[in-house]
Amino acid sequence: MALTVRIGGDKPEASPESRSRQTPNFDRLAAPYRWMEYFSFGHALERCRFHFLPRLAARRRALVLGDGDGRFTARLLADHPEIHVHAIDASPTMLAALTRRVTDIHAAGRLTTELADLRRWPADEQPQPSPTAPDLIVTHFFLDCLTTDEVAALALRLRTLAAPGSIWLISEFAIPACGWMRPIAASLVAALYRAFRLLTGLDPQQLPDYPAALTRVGWQRLEHHPHLRGLLTSELWGFPRKT
Ligand SMILES: C[S@@+](CC[C@H](N)C(=O)[O-])C[C@H]1O[C@@H](n2cnc3c(N)ncnc32)[C@H](O)[C@@H]1O
């Protein structure tokens, strides 16, 4: 197991094993990523990312994690002129692509970026909320790069540092519980993991149980919308209860 989760103390922590695990390298995918996606899924992933976009108008400070080439960040900044984004990714080439895309729409003044492995972020073990705390967290097809325990550890840190009333926008692959899509989704997800291991060195080889991980540390699912018969999901999470 990559991380140790003390259920009793409700405090997931990174194990030394997880901390030493190699960061996947998405640099070489930055340029072809969009075309690989369109070729394999058409615009389905994009519809998934943008599904709840109109609902984010009241948000002012977004923390966008693992956004890759920045298509979502650029659209978020374009659609909501009052929002500021802090984007974090482990790939300098992806961050450069994201910055270019945002500069092209003249919104670079509302963007900050940070190069970091989100399994070891923030460096401060016990992050504190601040007046500039994010009120929106975004992860599109990023949690699937982590194990369930790594998601739980990240979700706990995010809950600590996010502003009260924050929401977390998530897009993910899913394997439906039953129906004809289930075996197709299972094979497709397995094939994607094999490809990403080959191309980036990604370690996990199965979808994390992120709903369980987030729920365990106090987040609650507010809404979800399935796409492609349950192969994809767009979700909004919040943490209405104080723990
Ligand atoms: C599968 S891509 C998803 C990109 C984009 N969010 C999307 O919707 O397609 C995963 C992204 O997360 C980044 N990433 C993967 N593991 C990471 C880690 N441990 N820390 C920070 N970024 C990571 C990769 O560099 C890449 O940009």
Side-chain angles (χ1 to χ4, degrees), residues 22-27 29 33 37 45 49 64-72 88-92 94-95 115-120 139-146 150 171 173 196 202:
Q22 196 191 331
T23 308
N25 184 349
F26 279 74
D27 281 352
L29 291 189
Y33 190 81
E37 174 188 320
L45 268 58
R49 292 184 195 103
V64 181
L65 309 180
D67 194 39
D69 64 14
R71 276 169 287 153
F72 177 81
I88 307 179
D89 202 291
S91 159
M94 286 289 196
L95 280 181
L115 184 66
D117 185 328
L118 285 155
R119 296 169 305 170
R120 302 183 260 278
T139 56
H140 292 303
F141 305 104
F142 163 67
L143 298 181
D144 50 30
C145 296
L146 308 178
E150 286 168 344
S171 298
F173 288 95
F196 276 109
L202 184 70

Side-chain angles (χ1 to χ4, degrees), residues 27-40:
D27 281 352
R28 77 170 85 153
L29 291 189
Y33 190 81
R34 179 165 56 132
W35 302 111
M36 287 165 61
E37 174 188 320
Y38 292 156
F39 181 71
S40 39

Side-chain angles (χ1 to χ4, degrees), residues 5 9 26-28 35 41 48 71 81 87 112 115 158 164 203 219:
V5 178
F26 279 74
D27 281 352
R28 77 170 85 153
W35 302 111
F41 294 100
C48 201
R71 276 169 287 153
T112 52
L115 184 66
L158 289 171
D203 200 39
W219 291 87

Side-chain angles (χ1 to χ4, degrees), residues 65-191:
L65 309 180
D67 194 39
D69 64 14
R71 276 169 287 153
F72 177 81
T73 296
R75 177 80 182 268
L76 177 68
L77 288 163
D79 284 12
H80 300 301
E82 292 189 59
I83 207 162
H84 287 69
V85 170
H86 185 62
I88 307 179
D89 202 291
S91 159
T93 316
M94 286 289 196
L95 280 181
L98 179 151
T99 304
R100 268 197 308 279
R101 215 175 278 282
V102 169
T103 304
D104 285 349
I105 60 157
H106 308 291
R110 289 185 285 131
L111 173 72
T112 52
T113 61
E114 183 177 346
L115 184 66
D117 185 328
L118 285 155
R119 296 169 305 170
R120 302 183 260 278
W121 173 94
D124 179 3
E125 281 292 326
Q126 304 206 308
Q128 300 297 321
S130 83
T132 55
D135 57 7
L136 170 65
I137 294 160
V138 179
T139 56
H140 292 303
F141 305 104
F142 163 67
L143 298 181
D144 50 30
C145 296
L146 308 178
T147 64
T148 301
D149 288 342
E150 286 168 344
V151 174
L154 178 64
L156 179 62
R157 298 195 296 273
L158 289 171
R159 198 199 63 186
T160 308
L161 62 78
S166 289
I167 56 173
W168 186 344
L169 173 61
I170 296 177
S171 298
E172 269 310 331
F173 288 95
I175 299 177
C178 54
W180 59 263
M181 182 48 106
R182 182 176 165 75
I184 298 174
S187 318
L188 192 66
V189 166

Side-chain angles (χ1 to χ4, degrees), residues 159-160 162 164 218 239-243:
R159 198 199 63 186
T160 308
F239 53 97
R241 76 184 154 88
K242 272 269 172 223
T243 54

